[in-house]
Amino acid sequence: MLDNLQRNVLSNLDLLLTGLLTTIQVCTQAFLLATVVGLAACLIRLYVPALKYAAIAYIEFCRSTPMVVQLLWVNYVWPEVFGFPGTVIGAGVIALALQSSGYLAETFRSGIEAINKGHREAAMALGLSPARTMRRIVLPQVVLEMAPSLINQLAVVLKSSTLVSVIAVPDLMFQALRLVDRSLEPIEILSSVAILYIAVITSVSLISKLISDHFRDKYGLSIKQ
């Protein structure tokens, strides 16, 4: 078993680490895009009556469509219809962002609706515009209060990213499956990949929690109002 580990994993560690870097790149871009799009969908649903049902339809579509279907749809249909994305990595980023944006939109909505209305009223009494109230008063509280849900969604993106290998994105799973096909010895390779994913997801969760706890304590949000 040690010989197999040396031959199939340690000797190909550079290839696996390259795949891991691609995974991190895809997940980071997808999560940032999902956050922006999800917040936009949430705000449209809450504050733009004319587009409310379009936003709801978008959110439900993103939440209800299987990840593999979204990957194949974005990778094979979008280039023909919209002219982009031009790369499989771009398709992976967009597909991951689509699904996550639907869940994040609902996370933001629940957070905004949970904010004490007195905060908005106080801001308006001080002469702040609705847009500035949202930007300076509401959204910072929402982000900090929803931090656990945001961290959980980031972990979901990391785990879902294993599926981008279906469209040949050269991520960690793709590289691992190439090694398995070449060696026909999956035990050590896939076990090592599982450990890498556990290490990454655990590290991201811990770091994110430390950061969110710091800011929650700094701004007094750890104490329920």
Side-chain angles (χ1 to χ4, degrees), residues 5-41:
L5 183 66
Q6 172 65 40
R7 183 174 62 256
N8 297 321
V9 177
L10 297 182
S11 62
N12 294 294
L13 195 57
D14 57 336
L15 188 65
L16 293 175
L17 291 178
T18 299
L20 179 60
L21 288 175
T22 301
T23 293
I24 293 172
Q25 173 193 345
V26 169
C27 291
T28 301
Q29 294 177 2
F31 186 73
L32 291 175
L33 180 59
T35 301
V36 173
V37 176
L39 179 58

Side-chain angles (χ1 to χ4, degrees), residues 97-177:
L98 276 177
Q99 186 170 77
S100 292
S101 66
Y103 289 100
L104 288 174
E106 290 298 278
T107 297
F108 283 122
R109 182 173 70 88
S110 64
I112 290 173
E113 292 179 341
I115 295 298
N116 192 323
K117 293 182 179 180
H119 294 184
R120 296 189 185 90
E121 294 171 356
M124 293 177 64
L126 292 173
L128 271 67
S129 66
R132 194 172 184 185
T133 298
M134 178 62 65
R135 187 175 70 253
R136 299 291 298 275
I137 306 298
V138 176
L139 288 183
Q141 294 185 72
V142 169
V143 171
L144 291 176
E145 288 290 354
M146 296 295 102
S149 297
L150 295 175
I151 294 169
N152 180 67
Q153 189 58 41
L154 176 56
V156 170
V157 170
L158 282 164
K159 288 184 281 189
S160 297
S161 70
T162 57
L163 295 173
V164 300
S165 60
V166 170
I167 57 173
V169 174
D171 69 326
L172 176 57
M173 182 56 67
F174 180 84
Q175 303 293 7
L177 292 176

Side-chain angles (χ1 to χ4, degrees), residues 46-58:
L46 290 176
Y47 302 111
V48 185
L51 298 177
K52 175 181 178 180
Y53 292 104
I56 292 174
Y58 169 81

Side-chain angles (χ1 to χ4, degrees), residues 79-96:
E80 297 293 330
V81 177
F82 304 115
F84 74 94
T87 65
V88 290
I89 289 180
V93 169
I94 292 173
L96 285 171

